[in-house]
Amino acid sequence: MKILALNALLWLFATAASAQELAPTPKADFANWVIESNVKTPKISTVKFYNAKQELIYEEVVEGKKLNVRREKVKKKLNEILAQLAEKNTKINQYNLVALSL
């Protein structure tokens, strides 16, 4: 009888723990940029800019430069480009904005 009660209690806790839902991830309501790079090819980076609706508005592959996101100069330039792109609020063709400004 004790084993049956213990199994029932264990089953109750297991189903209660698995039934909990994860909280949905809050959506960002601001424009941002992302740098994607690879350890094997550090001098090739993809910079993506998103508007406030998180829609891709500009993407550029930068070759020959290692973008160090920790440097203030890099962050400042990317934020300036983001501000210019956010004003237009439309998808931009390839202009090498990042490569020319860094």
Side-chain angles (χ1 to χ4, degrees):
M1 186 69 172
K2 288 182 183 179
I3 295 174
L4 181 63
L6 184 61
N7 283 338
L9 190 60
L10 184 62
W11 178 79
L12 181 64
F13 284 128
T15 56
S18 65
Q20 292 178 353
E21 292 184 21
L22 297 174
T25 307
K27 294 203 175 203
D29 58 349
F30 54 89
N32 61 352
W33 48 263
V34 176
I35 297 177
E36 297 175 355
S37 60
N38 190 337
V39 176
K40 294 183 180 182
T41 55
K43 290 194 175 185
I44 299 174
S45 300
T46 304
V47 183
K48 296 180 180 182
F49 293 90
Y50 296 92
N51 63 9
K53 297 177 185 176
Q54 299 306 305
E55 299 168 338
L56 182 67
I57 55 174
Y58 183 70
E59 178 178 2
E60 181 178 336
V61 176
V62 179
E63 295 183 16
K65 293 183 181 182
K66 184 176 179 182
L67 300 179
N68 187 353
V69 73
R70 293 184 195 107
R71 293 185 61 204
E72 280 299 317
K73 177 185 171 185
V74 173
K75 287 189 230 180
K76 184 178 177 184
K77 290 293 184 179
L78 291 176
N79 286 335
E80 288 173 2
I81 295 169
L82 178 62
Q84 293 172 359
L85 293 173
E87 286 177 7
K88 296 179 182 178
N89 205 16
T90 58
K91 188 159 180 150
I92 308 296
N93 293 331
Q94 199 71 345
Y95 290 123
N96 293 331
L97 297 173
V98 178
L100 293 175
S101 65
L102 293 177

